[in-house]
Amino acid sequence: MSQLPADARAVVIGGGVAGCSVAYHLARLGWTDVILVERHDLTEGTTWHSAGFVGQLRSTVTQTRMIMYSAGLYPELRELTGLDPGWHGVGGLRLATTPERMEELLRQAGAAETYGLDLEVLDPRGTHDRLPLLEVGDVLGSLWLPGDGWLDPARLGHALAEGARALGVRIFTGVEVTGIDVHDGRVTAVRLRGEDGEDGEHVVRTETVVNAAGAAAGAVGRMAGADIPIVPIKHQYVVTPASGVPAETPTVRDPDKIVYFREEDGGILVGGYIRSPQVWDTDRPLSEPRTLFTPDMPKFRESWDSAVRRVPSLKPVGAGDDPAAFRKVVHGPEAFTPDGEFLLGETVVAGLWVAAGFCVHGLAAAGGVGKVMAEWIVEGAPEYDVFGMDVRRFGSYARSARWARARALDSYSTYYDIVYPGEERTAARPLRRSPAWVRHEALGATFGEKAGWERVNWYPPAPDAGTAPSAQAAQAARPRGWAGRVWSPAIREECLATRDAAGLFDQTSFAKLEISGSVTGLERLAGNALDRLVGAEVLTRVSTKVSTGVSTRAPARVYPVVYTQLLNERGGIEADVTVTRLAEDRFRLVTGTAFGVHDAALLRRHGLAVADVTSAYACYCLWGPRAYEILASLTDDDLTFGYLRAAEISVGHVPVLAQRVTFVGEFGWELYCPSEYGLTLWDSLMEAGLPHGMRPAGYRALDSLRLEKGYRVWGLDVTSETTPLEAGLGFAVRPERRAALPSPRTALRCLVLDDERDVCQGGEPVRLDGRPVSRVTSGGFGHRVGRSIAYAYLPVKVEPGERVEIGVNGRRVGATITREPLYDPEGARVRAEPWTAADR
């Protein structure tokens, strides 16, 4: 304790592989005044009992890149420290025993092609040849990944720690964190106490703390007032006695049988994901070193039986119900999260960062975790797009331990299940509901969920046989493969109703942020922080409306609406938003459902006062050529204030902010009202709209319509790694800011597939001249244009009219690069004058 400094540039809490990797990478970027504290010895929290599997192929490109980076880091560590990180590059097999799993493997193989992973698809004979001890009678095929393997967790942790020490990091074990001081919402110090407590409390002043405390990360976060949804869950594996199993035996995953195994010391390590997991309920997780629980062999029975069927040589070990039959039984805590993804990034407390929640596979990505965290802390943004792991993807609802527990248990129990695109989880639902939810439910809507919000995917198909397709015709229109699994003919009906009459969409889940401050203050910010952050000019003045005489009453003020992006220092897109200037000192920023916490934190970091008002307002979008007639029948106010303008009007008896913007490429408005009026407004719009052919519509129709117009989705088509010039959004950036952006090497292109029943869902490999060059960012079927559409980043030299191949449903299908947008390329429908919209 006496050696602890009074000040440090950063304090890392936790001596597992994550904490050691963060400390190492901070030092590599020049932050050498870093201390790491661990209450026990290094790796004695959750790292030490990890099974150590390293599977490079993951469900997202970022996780895959992080693991690939990690694999390349280990030789560096050996050279720097002289310590072997315990890497066993034996390769890995992933088995398929059902047609559905085989489809998944082929889809994963396509993804691997775009990641640059070395991979081979094997038939049953090839699988057996690769590992003769396997019983392959029920195996349909497998993926062979020669870059996979396993690590010794303790050796990796110590190699990372030694690498950090070599770069100047000071590491203190036997030191417990007793408190984290926070002032004005920012970390100021960490309070520490030695194992024996004799030296009393020691305070280290710092403005940067990294919480890498594993299963104890939630408890550490609460010391600073930050809720971190970590759920410790019991996980179990066994190691059999030595039986001459070769050291070069590949790792094996058999997800259909919820089991995995590898060689260890001449025996076999066998683990699995049980269907009835158990939370570790304790107020002081990891308070003791090397925490293990009593073996629970009945819960492990399914995994063991699966392993014996797959590896018949395990039969002599026994039925798996006697712990003494194994060389060891490891039943320890693992830190899970509500969605099974990592928790990385800065919390609601400025300067308090988290790197935890690794859901069993954190060892594989440890090097990548350290890399992105260090870049984030030191440089302001990581190289990779990590929003899917960003702790800010959760809202205030994640403070509920019951919610986090229900979701985490669901994530664990379905860990090896096939996750089909569009498939919805049901745990801890419903949670957040629009005022009109009762009407959606009464109509029989099929719901999806995002950020806790219940959102309509589609309504039932129309019962009128004269307009609805027959069951046979509907089946013929169903997309092939996975795209047709979660699908309804109602999607087409809703799209065409929006084109021909009007669609009414409930988008109350839009995240809404209000930015306020004095005019002088905001314009000062616009000259520095806000100016650097926002791509477009947003300080357009609120104007007075001059009546056209079309309506009896013109709005007193018309508010400018700006579509733009928030950009990072590299010009990458951190958010895709609309900004409405409601007063000289007040703006409303509207962003995607799941992005409100992330975007608010970004704005606050640039010195802006931000209030999240998402729940204060309902939002219904009325779009289509009949939208003017429908809305005009409900108001005496002037509706001619034009595209990208907003005005306060009354709809029936309801006060509404009407914004003339669209995400479907049709004339109409986003209509915002205080939430208490939300049900009344929905009912009024439905009553007025149905006689005009209007239909309520869901998010699947919305996605189809926006694809036809080339409207981008943040997190799919645009990310923090892509610039507006690459994404085709240069028009939304003011000239001087645009000139400062790097010259693009790729551009987002619209692809039209040859066969309309081959429908992309994102992630499919794209080949140009026979070479893999990209992957689909998003795709779907455009019902107004009758084409299967996909988007992908391609080299800028590639021109419309050229051909590519896309891997869909295990086949390579042709597609043509096409000018966008496919629908209404001149934008005449969007910008139509209200009284002529119905004639378009």
Side-chain angles (χ1 to χ4, degrees):
M1 287 287 289
S2 59
Q3 298 176 337
L4 280 166
D7 300 271
R9 193 167 192 181
V11 176
V12 179
I13 301 170
V17 290
C20 293
S21 183
V22 171
Y24 170 73
H25 284 86
L26 283 172
R28 279 209 342 186
L29 291 182
W31 279 33
T32 54
D33 182 18
V34 173
I35 68 169
L36 181 149
V37 295
E38 164 59 48
R39 76 168 98 179
H40 308 304
D41 285 333
L42 294 178
T43 77
E44 289 194 339
T46 54
T47 292
W48 73 277
H49 62 69
S50 169
F53 280 67
V54 176
Q56 296 183 80
L57 182 57
R58 294 291 171 178
S59 59
T60 67
V61 62
T62 296
Q63 272 203 16
T64 300
R65 290 165 73 184
M66 288 169 66
I67 295 172
M68 292 174 69
Y69 169 84
S70 299
L73 172 66
Y74 305 138
E76 287 183 35
L77 285 173
R78 187 183 295 110
E79 184 175 337
L80 175 66
T81 67
L83 298 178
D84 182 359
W87 170 242
H88 300 260
V90 295
L93 286 166
R94 185 181 294 262
L95 309 182
T97 61
T98 64
E100 294 79 11
R101 185 70 66 178
M102 196 65 209
E103 287 178 6
E104 182 190 49
L105 291 194
L106 292 174
R107 187 175 171 86
Q108 289 174 327
E113 179 179 286
T114 70
Y115 302 158
L117 277 179
D118 188 10
L119 176 148
E120 185 179 355
V121 180
L122 304 178
D123 62 14
R125 178 181 292 275
T127 303
H128 185 266
D129 290 345
R130 183 65 65 180
L131 186 55
L133 60 80
L134 295 181
E135 166 55 50
V136 297
D138 62 339
V139 172
L140 301 181
S142 68
L143 294 186
W144 165 246
L145 293 111
D148 282 7
W150 60 278
L151 285 158
D152 181 292
R155 290 167 71 180
L156 173 62
H158 284 284
L160 285 164
E162 191 58 34
R165 284 193 185 100
L167 296 176
V169 174
R170 288 171 288 176
I171 296 177
F172 300 90
T173 58
V175 175
E176 182 179 4
V177 177
T178 57
I180 300 174
D181 293 349
V182 176
H183 182 70
D184 287 340
R186 169 168 285 282
V187 165
T188 58
V190 176
R191 298 182 177 273
L192 305 169
R193 182 176 59 210
E195 213 168 24
D196 53 18
E198 291 182 3
D199 293 336
E201 194 173 62
H202 184 92
V203 177
V204 178
R205 293 183 295 272
T206 184
E207 292 188 348
T208 302
V209 174
V210 181
N211 175 3
V220 171
R222 287 191 292 273
M223 294 180 183
D227 296 294
I228 298 172
I230 293 286
V231 181
I233 293 180
K234 298 178 180 181
H235 185 74
Q236 194 166 206
Y237 67 81
V238 301
V239 180
T240 68
S243 58
V245 178
E248 63 272 15
T249 298
T251 65
V252 179
R253 291 173 177 81
D254 189 354
D256 289 322
K257 303 298 187 290
I258 62 170
V259 67
Y260 59 81
F261 48 91
R262 65 168 174 83
E263 181 273 341
E264 182 167 307
D265 295 330
I268 296 181
L269 180 154
V270 177
Y273 294 87
I274 62 176
R275 297 296 186 185
S276 55
Q278 185 178 356
V279 170
W280 181 28
D281 281 314
T282 178
D283 293 332
R284 301 190 69 234
L286 305 183
S287 59
E288 299 296 327
R290 294 181 168 250
T291 297
L292 287 179
F293 312 114
T294 302
D296 190 344
M297 305 317 293
K299 278 187 177 291
F300 195 67
R301 184 63 183 265
E302 183 180 357
S303 294
W304 176 251
D305 287 348
S306 294
V308 171
R309 285 193 295 270
R310 186 63 61 217
V311 184
S313 61
L314 290 174
K315 287 180 181 179
V317 177
D321 52 5
D322 180 10
F326 300 102
R327 190 159 59 83
K328 62 181 177 181
V329 177
V330 177
H331 191 199
E334 293 285 354
F336 266 75
T337 65
D339 59 3
E341 297 290 348
F342 299 173
L343 290 180
L344 306 179
E346 193 171 22
T347 69
V348 294
V349 178
L352 177 64
W353 298 75
V354 63
F358 297 120
C359 307
V360 180
H361 57 275
L363 199 77
V369 165
K371 166 186 163 63
V372 300
M373 287 293 295
E375 291 169 347
W376 215 339
I377 293 167
V378 175
E379 300 171 356
E383 177 186 356
Y384 307 150
D385 166 33
V386 294
F387 178 76
M389 308 174 197
D390 193 329
V391 66
R392 296 169 299 182
R393 67 187 182 271
F394 297 115
S396 58
Y397 52 88
R399 295 172 186 161
S400 166
R402 294 188 181 191
W403 178 86
R405 175 180 301 193
R407 297 290 289 222
L409 287 171
D410 181 60
S411 290
Y412 183 102
S413 64
T414 59
Y415 190 81
Y416 267 162
D417 287 2
I418 298 171
V419 180
Y420 295 103
E423 196 170 66
E424 299 288 348
R425 297 171 60 185
T426 59
R429 291 177 57 188
L431 182 60
R432 308 172 79 181
R433 289 178 272 188
S434 155
W437 178 86
V438 292
R439 299 294 189 255
H440 308 324
E441 186 184 42
L443 288 171
T446 296
F447 289 97
E449 179 267 340
K450 192 166 190 178
W453 282 100
E454 294 294 318
R455 311 193 310 176
V456 175
N457 280 340
W458 60 75
Y459 295 90
D464 183 354
T467 58
S470 67
Q472 184 176 1
Q475 188 60 34
R478 182 183 293 272
R480 294 189 183 95
W482 281 21
R485 293 186 68 94
V486 185
W487 177 88
S488 169
I491 300 169
R492 178 177 185 274
E493 297 174 28
E494 293 169 11
C495 290
L496 298 187
T498 305
R499 178 195 67 185
D500 299 334
L504 182 62
F505 299 79
D506 185 346
Q507 296 200 234
T508 297
S509 66
F510 272 164
K512 313 164 195 82
L513 308 174
E514 292 215 345
I515 306 169
S516 59
S518 68
V519 176
T520 302
L522 283 169
E523 292 184 342
R524 176 180 54 77
L525 282 166
N528 47 76
L530 190 58
D531 189 56
R532 292 195 302 272
L533 181 63
V534 179
E537 172 60 60
V538 296
L539 289 175
T540 304
R541 296 286 180 175
V542 176
S543 64
T544 300
K545 172 70 176 178
V546 177
S547 176
T548 62
V550 174
S551 298
T552 59
R553 191 173 67 194
R557 290 178 182 272
V558 171
Y559 308 116
V561 181
V562 176
Y563 167 65
T564 188
Q565 293 78 41
L566 307 184
L567 308 179
N568 60 33
E569 295 294 334
R570 296 191 295 269
I573 299 171
E574 291 286 349
D576 190 61
V577 301
T578 57
V579 182
T580 303
R581 190 170 192 176
L582 298 174
E584 296 299 302
D585 60 351
R586 186 163 66 96
F587 295 77
R588 183 177 296 168
L589 181 149
V590 177
T591 185
T593 297
F595 310 142
V597 177
H598 169 274
D599 294 1
L602 185 64
L603 293 163
R604 291 181 184 121
R605 198 181 312 138
H606 284 74
L608 293 162
V610 180
D612 188 330
V613 296
T614 300
S615 299
Y617 297 97
C619 174
Y620 308 130
C621 299
L622 178 63
W623 291 317
R626 300 285 178 188
Y628 176 72
E629 296 172 60
I630 295 166
L631 194 59
S633 72
L634 293 169
T635 183
D636 298 322
D637 292 311
D638 187 357
L639 300 176
T640 66
F641 43 83
Y643 183 58
L644 290 181
R645 295 289 185 270
E648 291 175 351
I649 64 173
S650 294
V651 178
H653 306 302
V654 177
V656 168
L657 176 70
Q659 296 197 164
R660 180 82 187 280
V661 293
T662 179
F663 197 54
V664 301
E666 301 288 355
F667 174 92
W669 298 269
E670 294 173 357
L671 304 170
Y672 296 86
C673 71
S675 289
E676 66 269 25
Y677 296 98
L679 185 56
T680 300
L681 179 59
W682 179 268
D683 287 345
S684 297
L685 292 167
M686 285 289 287
E687 183 179 359
L690 291 177
H692 290 274
M694 184 196 80
R695 284 191 59 162
Y699 271 80
R700 292 303 178 81
L702 185 78
D703 196 51
S704 170
L705 295 163
R706 70 93 188 168
L707 277 168
E708 295 170 306
K709 283 296 292 181
Y711 293 151
R712 284 35 171 163
V713 171
W714 192 82
L716 297 177
D717 307 305
V718 294
T719 71
S720 59
E721 296 184 47
T722 55
T723 71
L725 297 184
E726 291 172 312
L729 298 174
F731 68 89
V733 182
R734 62 191 184 280
E736 64 273 19
R737 187 73 173 90
R738 187 165 59 244
L741 293 172
S743 297
R745 290 180 293 180
T746 62
L748 188 62
R749 299 295 193 193
C750 177
L751 313 176
V752 173
L753 282 69
D754 293 346
D755 191 327
E756 64 184 40
R757 290 191 64 201
D758 288 321
V759 176
C760 296
Q761 297 181 294
E764 293 85 356
V766 179
R767 286 178 165 242
L768 178 66
D769 298 327
R771 296 179 297 103
V773 294
S774 186
R775 68 187 65 85
V776 171
T777 59
S778 65
F781 189 80
H783 293 281
R784 290 177 299 191
V785 299
R787 309 300 295 272
S788 178
I789 307 165
Y791 278 83
Y793 283 92
L794 297 173
V796 291
K797 64 181 181 181
V798 177
E799 296 291 337
E802 294 190 45
R803 300 278 293 169
V804 297
E805 287 182 328
I806 306 177
V808 186
N809 301 321
R811 301 178 297 113
R812 293 181 189 170
V813 302
T816 302
I817 302 167
T818 308
R819 295 189 186 279
E820 58 169 326
L822 296 174
Y823 181 72
D824 188 26
E826 302 302 322
R829 296 176 74 93
V830 172
R831 291 178 169 81
E833 294 293 342
W835 51 88
T836 64
D839 298 326
R840 297 287 174 181

